Amino acid sequence: MRRAPISILQIAVCLVFIMGTLLACNPFPKKDTHPEVPFLADLVKDTTKFTKVLGLEHLSEIAFLKDDRILLKPDDSHLPFKIIDIHGTVIIEKIFDWKLPFHLDQQGNLYFNREKYDYPDYKRHAYFTTVVFKDSIDKKSEALDSKFADSIKFKMLDDYEIKLLKPYGLKPCGYQVDREKCNVFEVKNNALLVRQDDLYKNDFAKVPVVPQTFDDAILVRWQNSRIAYPVYLVYYQMGKHKFKCEDMTIPNVIKLKGQNYLFSYAFGLFLIK
Protein backbone atom coordinates (compact mmCIF):
# COMPACT_ATOMS: atom_id res chain seq x y z
CA MET A 1 0.00 0.00 0.00
CA ARG A 2 1.32 3.46 -0.92
CA ARG A 3 1.81 5.79 2.01
CA ALA A 4 -0.04 9.11 1.96
CA PRO A 5 2.34 12.09 1.63
CA ILE A 6 2.83 14.25 4.70
CA SER A 7 1.64 17.75 4.02
CA ILE A 8 3.39 20.96 5.06
CA LEU A 9 0.31 21.76 7.17
CA GLN A 10 0.70 18.53 9.13
CA ILE A 11 4.38 19.27 9.76
CA ALA A 12 3.52 22.79 10.89
CA VAL A 13 0.85 21.52 13.28
CA CYS A 14 3.34 19.02 14.76
CA LEU A 15 5.98 21.72 15.19
CA VAL A 16 3.52 24.04 16.90
CA PHE A 17 2.47 21.23 19.23
CA ILE A 18 6.08 20.32 20.09
CA MET A 19 7.12 23.94 20.68
CA GLY A 20 4.04 24.58 22.76
CA THR A 21 4.82 21.55 24.93
CA LEU A 22 8.44 22.61 25.38
CA LEU A 23 7.49 26.15 26.31
CA ALA A 24 4.84 24.94 28.74
CA CYS A 25 7.38 22.67 30.44
CA ASN A 26 10.01 25.43 30.38
CA PRO A 27 12.86 22.92 29.77
CA PHE A 28 15.65 25.43 29.12
CA PRO A 29 18.00 26.31 32.02
CA LYS A 30 18.24 29.97 33.01
CA LYS A 31 20.82 32.17 34.70
CA ASP A 32 20.67 32.93 38.40
CA THR A 33 18.23 35.83 38.82
CA HIS A 34 19.73 36.85 42.18
CA PRO A 35 23.53 36.57 41.93
CA GLU A 36 23.85 38.93 44.90
CA VAL A 37 22.11 36.48 47.26
CA PRO A 38 24.47 33.98 48.96
CA PHE A 39 24.11 30.23 48.69
CA LEU A 40 23.03 28.53 51.89
CA ALA A 41 26.33 26.64 52.07
CA ASP A 42 28.17 29.97 52.25
CA LEU A 43 25.68 31.72 54.51
CA VAL A 44 25.90 29.16 57.34
CA LYS A 45 29.69 29.64 57.44
CA ASP A 46 29.12 33.20 58.71
CA THR A 47 29.54 32.78 62.47
CA THR A 48 28.08 36.24 63.09
CA LYS A 49 24.74 34.92 61.79
CA PHE A 50 24.77 31.19 62.56
CA THR A 51 26.22 28.83 65.15
CA LYS A 52 26.51 25.17 64.21
CA VAL A 53 24.89 22.98 66.85
CA LEU A 54 24.87 19.57 65.26
CA GLY A 55 26.35 17.75 62.28
CA LEU A 56 25.03 14.66 60.54
CA GLU A 57 27.97 12.31 60.88
CA HIS A 58 26.75 8.68 61.25
CA LEU A 59 23.10 9.76 61.37
CA SER A 60 20.23 8.66 59.14
CA GLU A 61 17.59 10.91 60.70
CA ILE A 62 17.08 13.78 63.10
CA ALA A 63 13.65 14.23 64.69
CA PHE A 64 12.62 17.24 66.76
CA LEU A 65 10.39 16.32 69.69
CA LYS A 66 7.47 18.16 71.29
CA ASP A 67 9.49 18.79 74.47
CA ASP A 68 12.23 20.49 72.39
CA ARG A 69 14.59 17.56 72.70
CA ILE A 70 16.17 15.94 69.64
CA LEU A 71 16.14 12.29 68.56
CA LEU A 72 19.22 11.13 66.64
CA LYS A 73 18.88 7.92 64.64
CA PRO A 74 22.13 6.24 63.51
CA ASP A 75 22.93 5.06 60.01
CA ASP A 76 24.50 1.84 61.33
CA SER A 77 22.70 -0.84 63.35
CA HIS A 78 25.78 -1.21 65.57
CA LEU A 79 25.55 2.42 66.72
CA PRO A 80 23.18 3.74 69.43
CA PHE A 81 20.31 6.14 68.96
CA LYS A 82 20.26 9.16 71.26
CA ILE A 83 17.80 11.65 72.66
CA ILE A 84 19.57 14.85 73.61
CA ASP A 85 18.61 18.34 74.71
CA ILE A 86 19.55 21.42 72.72
CA HIS A 87 22.81 21.76 74.71
CA GLY A 88 23.91 18.25 73.75
CA THR A 89 23.17 16.60 77.11
CA VAL A 90 22.29 12.94 76.53
CA ILE A 91 18.94 11.87 78.00
CA ILE A 92 19.08 8.28 76.72
CA GLU A 93 21.54 6.39 74.52
CA LYS A 94 20.91 2.79 73.53
CA ILE A 95 21.54 0.33 70.70
CA PHE A 96 18.27 -1.10 69.37
CA ASP A 97 17.41 -4.07 67.21
CA TRP A 98 16.50 -2.75 63.75
CA LYS A 99 14.40 -5.88 63.13
CA LEU A 100 12.01 -4.80 65.91
CA PRO A 101 9.70 -1.75 66.07
CA PHE A 102 10.92 1.59 67.38
CA HIS A 103 8.12 3.86 68.60
CA LEU A 104 7.62 7.18 70.39
CA ASP A 105 4.02 7.57 71.53
CA GLN A 106 2.08 10.84 71.98
CA GLN A 107 3.19 11.08 75.62
CA GLY A 108 6.87 10.69 74.74
CA ASN A 109 7.24 7.11 75.99
CA LEU A 110 9.73 4.96 74.08
CA TYR A 111 9.21 1.42 72.82
CA PHE A 112 12.10 -0.62 71.45
CA ASN A 113 13.76 -4.01 71.98
CA ARG A 114 10.39 -5.26 73.33
CA GLU A 115 10.55 -2.83 76.25
CA LYS A 116 8.75 0.37 77.22
CA TYR A 117 10.84 3.26 78.56
CA ASP A 118 8.85 5.82 80.54
CA TYR A 119 8.98 9.52 79.75
CA PRO A 120 10.59 11.90 80.68
CA ASP A 121 13.96 10.50 81.81
CA TYR A 122 13.51 6.92 80.44
CA LYS A 123 15.19 5.43 83.49
CA ARG A 124 12.19 3.25 84.35
CA HIS A 125 11.61 0.52 81.80
CA ALA A 126 10.10 -2.93 81.59
CA TYR A 127 9.20 -5.69 79.15
CA PHE A 128 6.35 -4.73 76.79
CA THR A 129 4.45 -7.11 74.53
CA THR A 130 5.37 -6.36 70.92
CA VAL A 131 3.55 -8.06 68.07
CA VAL A 132 4.81 -7.76 64.50
CA PHE A 133 2.13 -9.66 62.63
CA LYS A 134 4.14 -10.19 59.46
CA ASP A 135 6.98 -11.82 61.40
CA SER A 136 4.60 -14.18 63.17
CA ILE A 137 2.88 -15.19 59.92
CA ASP A 138 6.22 -15.63 58.11
CA LYS A 139 7.51 -17.92 60.88
CA LYS A 140 4.31 -19.93 60.76
CA SER A 141 4.63 -20.22 56.99
CA GLU A 142 8.20 -21.51 57.28
CA ALA A 143 7.08 -24.11 59.82
CA LEU A 144 4.36 -25.36 57.47
CA ASP A 145 6.35 -25.05 54.26
CA SER A 146 7.48 -28.61 53.68
CA LYS A 147 4.70 -30.41 55.51
CA PHE A 148 1.59 -29.57 53.53
CA ALA A 149 0.39 -28.91 50.01
CA ASP A 150 0.03 -25.24 49.09
CA SER A 151 -3.76 -25.21 49.20
CA ILE A 152 -3.82 -26.71 52.69
CA LYS A 153 -0.97 -24.50 53.85
CA PHE A 154 -2.70 -21.28 52.69
CA LYS A 155 -5.90 -22.30 54.45
CA MET A 156 -3.97 -22.97 57.66
CA LEU A 157 -2.19 -19.62 57.38
CA ASP A 158 -5.52 -17.81 56.89
CA ASP A 159 -6.92 -19.49 59.99
CA TYR A 160 -3.74 -18.69 61.93
CA GLU A 161 -3.92 -15.00 60.94
CA ILE A 162 -7.55 -14.74 62.05
CA LYS A 163 -6.67 -16.29 65.39
CA LEU A 164 -3.58 -14.05 65.75
CA LEU A 165 -5.49 -10.82 65.07
CA LYS A 166 -8.70 -11.55 66.98
CA PRO A 167 -7.47 -10.65 70.53
CA TYR A 168 -6.60 -7.17 69.24
CA GLY A 169 -9.85 -6.50 67.39
CA LEU A 170 -8.24 -6.74 63.95
CA LYS A 171 -9.17 -8.66 60.82
CA PRO A 172 -7.05 -9.95 57.92
CA CYS A 173 -6.40 -7.54 55.08
CA GLY A 174 -7.32 -10.03 52.38
CA TYR A 175 -6.06 -9.01 48.95
CA GLN A 176 -6.70 -5.28 49.01
CA VAL A 177 -4.82 -3.22 46.44
CA ASP A 178 -4.37 -0.28 48.82
CA ARG A 179 -2.34 -1.95 51.55
CA GLU A 180 -1.89 1.31 53.48
CA LYS A 181 -5.48 0.99 54.72
CA CYS A 182 -4.38 -2.19 56.48
CA ASN A 183 -1.37 -0.62 58.18
CA VAL A 184 -1.37 -0.69 61.97
CA PHE A 185 1.24 0.79 64.31
CA GLU A 186 -0.29 1.49 67.70
CA VAL A 187 -0.40 0.57 71.37
CA LYS A 188 -3.59 -1.40 72.03
CA ASN A 189 -4.63 -3.86 74.74
CA ASN A 190 -1.30 -3.23 76.47
CA ALA A 191 0.72 -4.31 73.46
CA LEU A 192 2.58 -2.60 70.62
CA LEU A 193 0.94 -3.82 67.42
CA VAL A 194 2.63 -3.46 64.04
CA ARG A 195 1.14 -4.51 60.71
CA GLN A 196 3.24 -2.66 58.13
CA ASP A 197 6.72 -2.82 56.64
CA ASP A 198 8.08 0.37 58.25
CA LEU A 199 9.14 -0.43 61.82
CA TYR A 200 9.61 3.21 62.92
CA LYS A 201 6.88 5.57 64.08
CA ASN A 202 7.18 8.84 65.97
CA ASP A 203 3.99 10.38 67.38
CA PHE A 204 5.94 12.80 69.58
CA ALA A 205 7.54 14.77 66.76
CA LYS A 206 7.45 18.52 66.21
CA VAL A 207 7.27 19.38 62.51
CA PRO A 208 9.72 22.05 61.22
CA VAL A 209 8.56 24.56 58.60
CA VAL A 210 10.05 25.50 55.24
CA PRO A 211 11.02 29.22 54.99
CA GLN A 212 9.08 31.49 52.63
CA THR A 213 10.41 32.16 49.15
CA PHE A 214 10.88 35.70 47.85
CA ASP A 215 10.98 34.88 44.14
CA ASP A 216 10.09 32.11 41.73
CA ALA A 217 12.42 29.12 41.49
CA ILE A 218 14.34 28.75 38.23
CA LEU A 219 15.55 25.71 36.31
CA VAL A 220 19.36 25.75 36.37
CA ARG A 221 20.26 22.39 34.82
CA TRP A 222 19.22 18.87 33.97
CA GLN A 223 20.86 16.19 36.12
CA ASN A 224 21.92 13.07 34.24
CA SER A 225 20.84 9.80 35.77
CA ARG A 226 18.94 6.78 34.49
CA ILE A 227 16.29 9.37 33.73
CA ALA A 228 17.31 13.02 33.45
CA TYR A 229 15.60 15.21 36.03
CA PRO A 230 15.42 18.99 36.47
CA VAL A 231 17.34 20.86 39.18
CA TYR A 232 15.88 24.16 40.39
CA LEU A 233 17.41 27.05 42.30
CA VAL A 234 15.09 28.25 45.06
CA TYR A 235 15.20 31.68 46.71
CA TYR A 236 14.35 31.77 50.42
CA GLN A 237 13.88 34.49 53.00
CA MET A 238 14.24 33.60 56.68
CA GLY A 239 13.68 36.70 58.80
CA LYS A 240 16.36 39.17 57.78
CA HIS A 241 18.40 36.51 55.96
CA LYS A 242 18.05 35.76 52.25
CA PHE A 243 19.70 32.76 50.64
CA LYS A 244 19.41 30.36 47.74
CA CYS A 245 19.95 26.63 47.31
CA GLU A 246 19.02 23.80 45.01
CA ASP A 247 15.55 22.39 45.48
CA MET A 248 16.73 19.06 46.94
CA THR A 249 18.54 20.80 49.81
CA ILE A 250 15.18 21.49 51.55
CA PRO A 251 16.02 23.88 54.42
CA ASN A 252 13.72 24.00 57.47
CA VAL A 253 13.21 26.26 60.46
CA ILE A 254 12.42 24.78 63.87
CA LYS A 255 11.82 26.63 67.17
CA LEU A 256 13.46 25.02 70.19
CA LYS A 257 13.35 26.56 73.67
CA GLY A 258 12.11 29.84 72.19
CA GLN A 259 14.92 30.20 69.65
CA ASN A 260 14.87 29.62 65.89
CA TYR A 261 17.15 27.05 64.31
CA LEU A 262 17.91 26.27 60.68
CA PHE A 263 18.06 22.59 59.76
CA SER A 264 19.00 20.86 56.53
CA TYR A 265 20.14 17.29 55.93
CA ALA A 266 22.76 18.77 53.61
CA PHE A 267 24.46 20.84 56.33
CA GLY A 268 23.14 20.12 59.84
CA LEU A 269 21.48 22.15 62.61
CA PHE A 270 22.35 25.82 63.18
CA LEU A 271 21.23 28.40 65.72
CA ILE A 272 20.00 31.53 63.92
CA LYS A 273 21.47 34.59 65.62
Side-chain angles (χ1 to χ4, degrees):
M1 181 180 293
R2 186 178 180 183
R3 294 183 179 179
I6 299 174
S7 69
I8 295 177
L9 178 60
Q10 287 176 312
I11 295 174
V13 169
C14 289
L15 288 174
V16 169
F17 175 78
I18 293 170
M19 290 303 297
T21 302
L22 290 175
L23 290 174
C25 295
N26 191 22
F28 304 110
K30 295 182 178 179
K31 291 183 178 180
D32 182 0
T33 53
H34 292 279
E36 78 285 358
V37 173
F39 280 93
L40 179 58
D42 297 322
L43 184 63
V44 294
K45 293 177 183 177
D46 188 341
T47 55
T48 66
K49 298 175 181 176
F50 295 89
T51 299
K52 188 168 186 177
V53 176
L54 197 62
L56 294 171
E57 295 80 9
H58 307 300
L59 296 178
S60 65
E61 183 175 341
I62 293 179
F64 303 102
L65 307 181
K66 292 177 182 178
D67 59 2
D68 292 341
R69 294 172 176 174
I70 304 170
L71 169 66
L72 308 177
K73 285 184 63 185
D75 60 5
D76 186 321
S77 61
H78 297 95
L79 297 176
F81 80 91
K82 297 178 185 179
I83 292 181
I84 64 173
D85 65 19
I86 195 59
H87 304 295
T89 303
V90 176
I91 312 301
I92 182 172
E93 179 178 7
K94 297 281 185 180
I95 292 176
F96 70 98
D97 186 346
W98 287 24
K99 296 179 181 178
L100 293 173
F102 186 99
H103 181 44
L104 266 163
D105 68 17
Q106 294 181 356
Q107 290 73 44
N109 300 308
L110 263 170
Y111 304 79
F112 65 94
N113 293 352
R114 301 190 188 279
E115 288 194 280
K116 176 185 177 183
Y117 288 73
D118 292 342
Y119 182 82
D121 59 15
Y122 304 113
K123 291 181 179 179
R124 190 175 71 173
H125 59 97
Y127 172 81
F128 198 82
T129 301
T130 302
V131 183
V132 181
F133 295 108
K134 184 178 183 299
D135 288 351
S136 299
I137 294 169
D138 287 347
K139 288 178 182 177
K140 185 69 173 180
S141 178
E142 289 177 7
L144 299 174
D145 201 26
S146 60
K147 298 178 181 179
F148 301 94
D150 286 348
S151 58
I152 298 174
K153 173 187 168 183
F154 293 150
K155 178 63 170 62
M156 293 176 73
L157 283 176
D158 288 343
D159 293 343
Y160 174 75
E161 185 177 8
I162 292 171
K163 184 178 179 180
L164 183 65
L165 297 175
K166 187 175 180 180
Y168 307 106
L170 299 173
K171 296 181 180 180
C173 287
Y175 298 97
Q176 296 185 24
V177 176
D178 186 2
R179 301 294 293 181
E180 288 188 4
K181 292 182 179 179
C182 293
N183 286 349
V184 175
F185 201 133
E186 63 181 16
V187 175
K188 187 176 183 180
N189 294 356
N190 205 34
L192 176 60
L193 310 178
V194 179
R195 183 168 66 179
Q196 62 185 52
D197 294 330
D198 189 356
L199 297 179
Y200 170 78
K201 188 165 183 270
N202 186 350
D203 291 327
F204 197 59
K206 178 189 290 188
V207 181
V209 298
V210 178
Q212 291 184 337
T213 58
F214 66 87
D215 202 351
D216 294 335
I218 61 163
L219 176 68
V220 289
R221 71 177 186 278
W222 288 88
Q223 187 74 33
N224 291 325
S225 185
R226 290 185 177 179
I227 298 177
Y229 61 90
V231 177
Y232 289 87
L233 195 60
V234 188
Y235 302 100
Y236 293 101
Q237 180 152 8
M238 185 176 55
K240 60 185 178 180
H241 303 304
K242 287 185 176 182
F243 63 89
K244 59 194 175 190
C245 57
E246 293 183 355
D247 55 329
M248 293 305 293
T249 300
I250 313 177
N252 288 278
V253 177
I254 185 74
K255 181 167 282 189
L256 303 170
K257 297 297 183 182
Q259 292 184 292
N260 286 325
Y261 290 79
L262 171 71
F263 173 70
S264 167
Y265 276 105
F267 304 110
L269 181 67
F270 297 82
L271 172 65
I272 305 171
K273 294 183 178 180

